[in-house]
Amino acid sequence: MKTQTKLSQDNLTPKDALSILVKGNQRFIQNLKLQRNVIEQVLETSSGQYPFAVIHSCIDSRVPVELVFDQGFGDVFSTRVAGNIINEDVLGSMEYGCKVAGAKIVVVMAHTKCGAVTAACNHVELGNVTALLEKIKPSVAKVQPSSDVMNESEIERVAILNVEHSIQRIKSESKILNDMEEMGEIKIVGAVYSVETGGVDFL
Ligand SMILES: [Zn+2]
């Protein structure tokens, strides 16, 4: 498997980029991998990088982005922060990835059984975690719990709303990314990774 070049990246549409990720995850759940000589890829990418995607996901140790999409060196920009929340630095990283470095898709990917989302639903307060969880709270407020404590399916609903909220923030707070999407230069999509099956559902 060859690394992305300027030419191969230029020739991809946002739809192609999504299709690469869908197919990569299909290989992953079937325990299939494209053959990659990783040391060769290190050398090939040493002079430059032409990733096709920016994937924004949680820090969770069960969601290693390159593995779950069967991607190699130089394929994806990976921004990760607990609860896949958005802040100015994440937006700056995404803008760099798309506008400067040519990525064709931005994926905001939550996952099932997310500790950060669960903590936000349970109104946990701890050091700097408190301010991070505040960014998930708008999505918590949209779900009416059936009892005092949210159940698992209510928490999963919050995780999906939180992806939608992150995407709304990208579009409203990054004119660069919003304009690129309106021009058809990139797609901005949501996804949820299942820690139970390894599958990714695009929303
Ligand atoms: Zn998480």
Side-chain angles (χ1 to χ4, degrees), residues 57-112:
S57 60
C58 182
I59 60 169
D60 197 288
S61 66
R62 299 164 294 179
V63 195
V65 171
E66 279 86 351
L67 290 179
V68 308
F69 288 111
D70 187 31
Q71 297 302 310
F73 286 72
D75 289 331
V76 298
F77 286 108
S78 179
T79 60
R80 296 182 68 171
V81 61
N84 40 270
I85 55 98
I86 298 295
N87 62 28
E88 199 179 42
D89 304 311
V90 168
L91 289 174
S93 302
M94 290 174 169
E95 288 173 358
Y96 173 79
C98 295
K99 193 71 182 178
V100 181
K104 308 292 184 185
I105 190 168
V106 173
V107 182
V108 177
M109 187 167 78
H111 65 97
T112 59

Side-chain angles (χ1 to χ4, degrees):
M1 184 61 196
K2 284 285 169 199
T3 52
Q4 291 286 341
T5 61
K6 176 91 176 73
L7 185 66
S8 67
Q9 186 200 46
D10 280 348
N11 286 337
L12 287 176
T13 65
K15 206 172 152 212
D16 296 332
L18 177 60
S19 159
I20 292 172
L21 293 174
V22 169
K23 285 179 187 156
N25 183 247
Q26 282 168 355
R27 287 194 300 276
F28 172 69
I29 56 180
Q30 294 169 69
N31 208 23
L32 298 171
K33 267 188 231 158
L34 291 182
Q35 199 67 32
R36 287 185 179 87
N37 182 332
V38 288
I39 291 304
E40 213 167 78
Q41 285 207 312
V42 170
L43 287 171
E44 283 170 0
T45 52
S46 61
S47 54
Q49 58 168 344
Y50 305 97
F52 67 90
V54 177
I55 302 176
H56 183 53
S57 60
C58 182
I59 60 169
D60 197 288
S61 66
R62 299 164 294 179
V63 195
V65 171
E66 279 86 351
L67 290 179
V68 308
F69 288 111
D70 187 31
Q71 297 302 310
F73 286 72
D75 289 331
V76 298
F77 286 108
S78 179
T79 60
R80 296 182 68 171
V81 61
N84 40 270
I85 55 98
I86 298 295
N87 62 28
E88 199 179 42
D89 304 311
V90 168
L91 289 174
S93 302
M94 290 174 169
E95 288 173 358
Y96 173 79
C98 295
K99 193 71 182 178
V100 181
K104 308 292 184 185
I105 190 168
V106 173
V107 182
V108 177
M109 187 167 78
H111 65 97
T112 59
K113 304 220 159 86
C114 180
V117 170
T118 305
C121 292
N122 292 331
H123 306 285
V124 168
E125 292 190 8
L126 173 75
N128 289 292
V129 176
T130 308
L132 188 150
L133 298 183
E134 277 304 316
K135 299 186 171 72
I136 305 176
K137 291 287 174 71
S139 304
V140 177
K142 286 185 189 155
V143 175
Q144 278 299 317
S146 51
S147 65
D148 289 355
V149 185
M150 276 198 192
N151 64 32
E152 205 173 301
S153 70
E154 288 160 352
I155 292 171
E156 302 308 3
R157 179 83 197 120
V158 173
I160 289 172
L161 289 170
N162 185 47
V163 168
E164 291 168 358
H165 180 67
S166 287
I167 289 175
Q168 273 165 13
R169 285 197 62 185
I170 293 169
K171 291 181 180 179
S172 64
E173 294 172 41
S174 169
K175 183 169 166 27
I176 288 179
L177 295 171
N178 192 53
D179 287 355
M180 286 184 86
E181 187 177 56
E182 283 183 358
M183 297 292 287
E185 295 165 3
I186 60 166
K187 257 182 188 297
I188 304 172
V189 300
V192 181
Y193 173 80
S194 165
V195 298
E196 291 93 348
T197 67
V200 174
D201 280 330
F202 285 90
L203 304 174

